[in-house]
């Protein structure tokens, strides 16, 4: 497997950075090519960014309100065989039984 680094694209219009509005992917998510991953806002208009690859999200840069410079890392993907395999879900915990101290029986 290998990593693919998706950098903040040059959105034209003299843009040097963009503000993250909303993430639509988080580390561990499997994403497909051209799936919406992040919305950003430039000084002129909003943009929806889509990756040119399919893979699993390894890391993201910044959160809503943060500015990301053009050409800097925005999101890192794991690509290749097995990258799209589902991540096993955590086993749910069984609720603990409530125990009442001796002599303090209560009726629920």
């Amino acid at each position: 497997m290998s990593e693919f680094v998706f950098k903040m694209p040059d959105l034209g219009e003299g843009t040097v950075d963009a503000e993250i509005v909303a993430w639509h992917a988080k580390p561990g998510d499997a994403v497909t090519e051209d799936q919406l991953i992040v919305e950003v806002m430039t000084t002129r208009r909003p943009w929806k960014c889509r990756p040119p690859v399919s893979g699993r999200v390894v890391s993201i840069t910044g959160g809503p309100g943060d500015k990301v410079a053009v050409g800097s890392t925005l999101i890192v993907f794991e690509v290749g065989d097995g990258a799209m395999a589902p991540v096993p879900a955590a086993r749910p915990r069984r609720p603990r039984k409530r125990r009442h101290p001796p002599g303090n029986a209560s009726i629920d």
Side-chain angles (χ1 to χ4, degrees):
M1 290 200 223
S2 61
E3 287 189 345
F4 177 84
V5 177
F6 182 73
K7 296 184 178 191
M8 183 68 199
D10 181 353
L11 303 171
E13 304 170 346
T15 302
V16 295
D17 62 17
E19 181 180 328
I20 296 171
V21 175
W23 279 104
H24 296 280
K26 63 186 180 306
D29 285 355
V31 297
T32 58
E33 187 175 342
D34 293 328
Q35 176 181 335
L36 176 62
I37 55 169
V38 65
E39 293 177 67
V40 298
M41 175 67 90
T42 67
T43 55
R44 298 187 183 251
R45 65 182 220 129
W47 290 87
K48 294 181 179 184
C49 296
R50 301 169 192 281
V53 298
S54 295
R56 181 162 314 282
V57 177
V58 174
S59 64
I60 61 175
T61 300
D66 292 340
K67 290 196 175 198
V68 180
V70 168
S72 64
T73 299
L74 188 58
I75 188 167
V76 178
F77 297 98
E78 178 183 309
V79 296
D81 295 337
M84 295 298 286
V87 174
R91 277 186 13 190
R93 293 181 135 189
R94 284 191 255 163
R96 293 179 65 190
K97 291 183 180 178
R98 271 187 17 191
R99 295 186 181 185
H100 298 286
N104 276 342
S106 66
I107 301 174
D108 292 330

